Amino acid sequence: RETALPLVPLDIGLVTSDGSAAYHDFVEELRGSGYAFRLHFVDARMQGAETETDVPRAIAVLAKDPEVEAIVIIRGGGSRSDLIWFDKEKVARAVAVCPKPVLTGIGHEIDLSVTDLVAHTSRKTPTAVAQFLVEQARAYETALTEAARSVREFAREQLDRQSRALSDSARAWRES
């Protein structure tokens, strides 16, 4: 949770099952945003005993990639027994010690896992994680637009002031 999230994380490491509904929902939400998100995908089993090794392995691979700014772990809903793998120590520890911020979207509205608790940011669904990332980008774009407007306004005021001062000086010089 203490690992800083970049202002605009655009290079996203994605851990989920290839071709899953979670994968498609997440990717489509990012694509529809119009922002230049780049995905670094690592396929992992998101249910069953292999989850306990696949997810930490995927996190380790993405943590070593210098381009990846944040890692996202997503899985759609399921029964409590389907999601129990995200309460396992190996998975939660991999998230907790990851040198990059890890975001999670595991399950449905009512689901909460140990992995969610140790993640930098946890949202209820894969789509909600994508929406969070899009909102980060949108907020940054809005701040940049406002900063650019302020700079233009300040520059225009300075130019007007200097132009008036120059005109006043020229008028005073002609009159003298």
Side-chain angles (χ1 to χ4, degrees):
R1 288 187 178 274
E2 294 180 12
T3 305
L5 185 68
L7 286 175
V8 187
L10 294 175
D11 277 291
I12 307 297
L14 179 60
V15 178
T16 194
S17 180
D18 192 16
S20 66
Y23 175 89
H24 290 294
D25 290 349
F26 182 83
V27 170
E28 287 307 309
E29 192 72 28
L30 293 184
R31 275 194 190 132
S33 73
Y35 294 110
F37 288 102
R38 291 170 298 280
L39 291 179
H40 306 259
F41 175 68
V42 178
D43 183 39
R45 296 280 299 162
M46 303 305 279
Q47 181 174 324
E50 292 174 3
T51 303
E52 205 170 353
T53 55
D54 276 10
V55 172
R57 175 194 49 81
I59 292 169
V61 167
L62 292 168
K64 290 177 188 171
D65 186 336
E67 292 182 359
V68 171
E69 299 172 300
I71 298 171
V72 173
I73 302 170
I74 54 173
R75 188 213 189 274
S79 69
R80 188 67 207 133
S81 63
D82 293 340
L83 301 175
I84 196 90
W85 304 102
F86 297 96
D87 289 332
K88 299 292 184 177
E89 181 181 351
K90 286 181 184 178
V91 176
R93 185 175 300 281
V95 170
V97 301
C98 184
K100 298 186 180 188
V102 177
L103 294 78
T104 61
I106 300 168
H108 292 305
E109 296 293 324
I110 61 169
D111 299 317
L112 183 66
S113 68
V114 174
T115 298
D116 291 321
L117 294 173
V118 298
H120 178 282
T121 300
S122 174
R123 293 295 184 262
K124 295 297 183 182
T125 65
T127 301
V129 176
Q131 290 168 341
F132 171 80
L133 292 168
V134 169
E135 185 50 43
Q136 293 290 113
R138 186 173 293 123
Y140 190 73
E141 179 184 31
T142 300
L144 281 179
T145 300
E146 180 58 29
R149 187 197 61 71
S150 293
V151 167
R152 278 193 310 274
E153 186 177 297
F154 178 76
R156 189 172 298 124
E157 289 171 2
Q158 292 299 314
L159 286 171
D160 288 348
R161 189 171 60 77
Q162 294 299 325
S163 179
R164 282 191 303 275
L166 186 58
S167 294
D168 291 348
S169 293
R171 190 175 317 111
W173 181 77
R174 279 191 298 251
E175 292 174 357
S176 62

